[in-house]
Amino acid sequence: MSPDYRLGPEHRFPAAIDDSYAVLQWVADNKDRLGGPDAKIAVCGDSAGSNIAAVMALMARDNDGPAIASQLLVYPATDLRMADHQSLIDNGEGYLLTKASMDWFKANYLNNDDEANDWCVSPLLAADHTGLPPALIITAEFDPLRDEGTAYAETLRAAGNDVTHTNYDGMVHVFFQLGPLVPAGASAVSEVAAAARAALGG
């Protein structure tokens, strides 16, 4: 399922989060006709989508469901404060995704800068990361978001969760979508597919 969640600037935070959680609940309520009563659910996304996927895993835990079998996060944005992550400094220009474009996305998503401190915006800032589903986190060497993804992997692991973190050397943001052209992109797609298959029992 790919939620057609509302977008900013017309619909700012928390519209995308509310819509995505509503879809998650709908999928759980309709498992019988979607995949059977024993079907499992994983959350997955890349970049802004993986931000939402990570928030869904936290919300599902805090609301006693729906049960999530895995979270598959491809270069996740986990800290919209955009503070002192070295990769943002080193890779903020010249590697497709720029700091300037990230500033623009943030300005069109949030109602004000203070919302970046909300864990539903910056899942890295959640007070509790225990009891979350197994995570696959993929990062890219020349991505401004690399250190946020790495920090999230380390935070989840420190909280006792099962985490696999793969950093793809030499890659930039969006390499995952370039699988037909970039061998590392194809490898990352295969890694996510294998993790999804293992989590969902397919």
Side-chain angles (χ1 to χ4, degrees), residues 13-56:
F13 174 79
I17 300 299
D18 291 343
D19 291 353
S20 297
Y21 192 67
V23 170
L24 181 61
Q25 291 177 305
W26 183 89
V27 169
D29 290 341
N30 289 273
K31 283 200 304 182
D32 282 1
R33 66 189 185 94
L34 294 174
D38 298 325
K40 297 178 181 178
I41 299 172
V43 290
C44 181
D46 71 280
S47 195
S50 59
N51 169 283
I52 294 174
V55 171
M56 293 301 101

Side-chain angles (χ1 to χ4, degrees), residues 3 18 29-30 36 40 68 74 82-83 114-115 117 144 147 168 184:
D18 291 343
D29 290 341
N30 289 273
K40 297 178 181 178
I68 305 297
V74 179
M82 295 174 57
D114 289 343
E115 287 182 337
N117 296 299
D147 290 353
Y168 282 80

